[in-house]
Amino acid sequence: MSQVAPHALTAVTDGTFASTVLAADQPVVVDVWAEWCPPCHAISRSLAELAEEFAGRLTIVTVNSDENPEVTRRYRVLSLPTLLVFRHGELVDSLVGARPKAHLRQALARCVGE
């Protein structure tokens, strides 16, 4: 049975990516993951908690790379998990691999200029 997302974050698809991510008014972090990826699941709880912490300043969403190959291909995601950072519809940064929550918090703080 396939999950919609590895945690409580909003899942985007190839079809909703442009309207949800590229058209967003605030920075968006896209968690590119797959069901078979243990490190993806390892950071999922941290990302869900950080989404609440950064609410109103940035949005964190997920995209399942197996179910949405267009996004994965377009942004040349070769390793999972990958976090893609978008600002005003442009890819401005990425973070590849699982990281501790403190490291993720620092990376997200940079996204919002803190």
Side-chain angles (χ1 to χ4, degrees), residues 6-7 9 12 17 29-37 39-41 43 47 60-69 71-73 75-86 91 94-98:
H7 38 65
L9 298 175
V12 296
F17 189 85
V29 176
V30 180
D31 171 24
V32 184
W33 70 285
E35 187 68 42
W36 50 263
C37 169
C40 297
H41 294 283
I43 69 167
L47 288 172
I60 302 174
V61 299
T62 66
V63 63
N64 182 316
S65 64
D66 290 336
E67 296 173 1
N68 300 282
V71 169
T72 305
R73 213 175 11 256
Y75 296 102
R76 295 181 176 90
V77 175
L78 301 175
S79 297
L80 298 177
T82 292
L83 301 180
L84 302 173
V85 181
F86 291 85
L91 178 64
S94 64
L95 181 67
V96 179

